[in-house]
């Protein structure tokens, strides 16, 4: 039984990110048991999502963040593959386009929020604005088209953004969108092995980006940026889970249980059927039996 509370980050109580594990004891015995667990989880998620879709009151937004090669794409593929495509809306956020840069920094993600009854998946998110941009503030100064007088005090800018994120997530929660945020926590050594695999295995060459190697030089700065994100934006309304990511199968099973747990937090039920509607159903059944 996976106890997901051990992966929940609580500011002021949880250890610092650099002290949190990248690996844990396997939560599965062998490949066969892993496949059974992941399939059972998919079926449970499908049932819960169908219930949420029928009720049409809540939405669930799952945000994935992590260093390059942390396994975000694979986790989304393996964990969510059993759910009807009509019930899941997945978006990947890369370098902003010109159109996106002509709007505020949360605009591109806001337009992609899940509809009621659906699960939304964000592969990266508005958190890039307090991660990549914080590590490389030149992006904000030279490319984001923000008036210079509004970004003179960079520390103040990022404090404002943390506050904006918390207010935004609280607003979404009060309107029926449950938010869960997952940081896939891999070690620097594991990232090195995965980058090398992208070079050495032909079917992974397409994944390789020289920019990933460049960003690796900023590892410590990213850890500091993620630490600030965890401390300032893990809330009851929108918690962060730090999932050990070195073992992909472990990570996928943990993520599955986190999503199931968050869906079970919602007050899901099928829409009530009135006596009047039941009577109409009886009329329809009688008609079908005769024709």
């Amino acid at each position: 039984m996976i106890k997901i509370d051990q992966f929940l980050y609580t500011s002021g109580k949880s250890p610092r990110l650099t002290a949190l594990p990248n690996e844990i004891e396997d939560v599965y015995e062998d490949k066969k048991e892993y496949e059974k667990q992941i399939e059972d989880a998919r079926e449970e998620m499908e049932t819960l999502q169908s219930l949420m879709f029928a009720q049409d009151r809540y939405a669930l937004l799952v945000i994935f963040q992590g260093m390059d090669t942390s396994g975000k794409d694979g986790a989304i593929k393996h964990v969510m593959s059993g759910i009807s495509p009509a019930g899941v809306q997945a978006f990947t956020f890369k370098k902003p386009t010109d159109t996106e840069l002509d709007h505020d920094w949360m605009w591109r993600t806001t337009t992609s929020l899940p509809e009621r009854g659906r699960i939304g998946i964000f592969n990266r998110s508005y958190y890039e604005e307090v991660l990549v941009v914080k590590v490389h503030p030149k992006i904000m100064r030279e490319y984001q088209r923000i008036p210079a007088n509004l970004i003179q005090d960079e520390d103040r800018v990022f404090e404002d953004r943390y506050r904006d994120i918390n207010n935004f997530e609280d607003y979404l929660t009060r309107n029926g969108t449950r938010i869960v945020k997952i940081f896939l926590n891999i070690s620097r050594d594991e990232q090195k092995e995965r980058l090398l695999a992208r070079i050495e295995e032909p079917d992974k060459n397409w994944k390789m980006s020289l920019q990933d190697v460049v960003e690796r030089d900023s590892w410590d700065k990213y850890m500091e940026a993620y630490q600030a994100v965890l401390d300032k934006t893990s809330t009851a309304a929108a918690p962060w889970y730090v999932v050990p990511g070195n073992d992909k199968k472990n990570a996928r099973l943990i993520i599955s249980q986190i999503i199931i747990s968050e869906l079970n937090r919602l007050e899901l039920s099928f829409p009530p059927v009135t006596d009047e509607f039941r009577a109409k159903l009886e009329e329809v059944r009688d008609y079908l039996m005769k024709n």
Side-chain angles (χ1 to χ4, degrees):
M1 182 65 178
I2 299 173
K3 297 180 180 179
I4 64 169
D5 285 351
Q6 65 183 302
F7 309 110
L8 182 65
Y9 189 89
T10 304
S11 180
K13 295 183 179 180
S14 297
R16 289 184 60 80
L17 177 57
T18 52
L20 291 173
N22 312 114
E23 301 180 42
I24 59 170
E25 185 177 346
D26 287 346
V27 297
Y28 60 96
E29 292 182 4
D30 50 34
K31 182 178 179 181
K32 183 177 180 180
E33 200 216 343
Y34 161 75
E35 290 175 349
K36 183 181 185 306
Q37 283 195 48
I38 200 75
E39 182 59 31
D40 288 347
R42 287 170 183 156
E43 291 179 2
E44 188 170 358
M45 276 189 281
E46 168 70 13
T47 298
L48 290 167
Q49 193 282 319
S50 296
L51 189 60
M52 185 169 66
F53 188 85
Q55 188 184 40
D56 198 27
R57 291 293 182 273
Y58 292 99
L60 178 69
L61 174 61
V62 185
I63 295 175
F64 286 88
Q65 293 284 163
M67 296 295 288
D68 295 323
T69 79
S70 61
K72 299 182 294 297
D73 291 335
I76 293 168
K77 176 182 177 182
H78 287 269
V79 171
M80 308 305 298
S81 62
I83 299 180
S84 168
V88 179
Q89 299 165 326
F91 298 91
T92 298
F93 297 99
K94 298 183 181 293
K95 182 179 178 180
T97 66
D98 281 343
T99 299
E100 290 167 345
L101 288 171
D102 274 336
H103 292 80
D104 65 89
W105 58 274
M106 293 188 79
W107 177 82
R108 66 174 182 160
T109 49
T110 303
T111 62
S112 301
L113 290 169
E115 302 169 15
R116 297 189 192 280
R118 292 170 173 82
I119 297 174
I121 304 293
F122 280 4
N123 185 345
R124 302 189 186 275
S125 65
Y126 42 83
Y127 278 97
E128 295 296 285
E129 297 293 332
V130 289
L131 292 166
V132 176
V133 177
K134 189 171 185 180
V135 172
H136 303 291
K138 180 180 178 180
I139 294 172
M140 179 173 61
R141 293 195 302 267
E142 298 186 11
Y143 302 109
Q144 291 198 329
R145 306 173 188 172
I146 302 172
N149 64 301
L150 298 180
I151 55 174
Q152 289 180 351
D153 185 343
E154 290 179 3
D155 290 339
R156 174 66 182 272
V157 168
F158 291 113
E159 289 299 322
D160 286 344
R161 288 188 176 187
Y162 298 133
R163 187 176 68 253
D164 290 339
I165 287 171
N166 287 337
N167 289 339
F168 177 65
E169 291 177 344
D170 182 60
Y171 165 78
L172 290 179
T173 301
R174 288 184 283 105
N175 281 273
T177 296
R178 177 67 182 173
I179 304 165
V180 57
K181 301 172 294 196
I182 295 168
F183 172 66
L184 281 163
N185 187 27
I186 63 170
S187 66
R188 198 167 190 271
D189 288 343
E190 178 65 20
Q191 187 195 55
K192 178 180 178 179
E193 293 302 313
R194 293 184 185 183
L195 287 171
L196 287 171
R198 291 182 177 183
I199 298 172
E200 295 164 1
E201 299 176 30
D203 61 343
K204 292 185 178 180
N205 286 170
W206 66 274
K207 291 184 174 182
M208 189 60 188
S209 167
L210 295 180
Q211 186 60 34
D212 294 343
V213 180
V214 173
E215 288 298 274
R216 180 175 163 80
D217 292 337
S218 299
W219 181 277
D220 291 341
K221 290 183 179 179
Y222 272 106
M223 291 301 102
E224 293 174 7
Y226 269 111
Q227 183 66 60
V229 162
L230 294 172
D231 284 335
K232 296 177 182 295
T233 67
S234 191
T235 64
W240 274 104
Y241 289 88
V242 180
V243 175
N246 281 9
D247 184 302
K248 294 180 180 179
K249 290 185 175 65
N250 262 350
R252 292 164 188 170
L253 291 174
I254 293 166
I255 291 166
S256 296
Q257 291 307 311
I258 290 172
I259 294 174
I260 288 169
S261 175
E262 294 296 335
L263 285 169
N264 279 320
R265 282 173 169 266
L266 306 177
E267 298 176 354
L268 300 178
S269 62
F270 285 112
V273 178
T274 64
D275 291 341
E276 180 182 4
F277 188 67
R278 285 187 186 279
K280 289 182 179 179
L281 291 178
E282 291 296 327
E283 292 177 10
V284 171
R285 183 179 66 175
D286 290 344
Y287 174 81
L288 291 172
M289 293 295 291
K290 296 174 182 177
N291 293 277

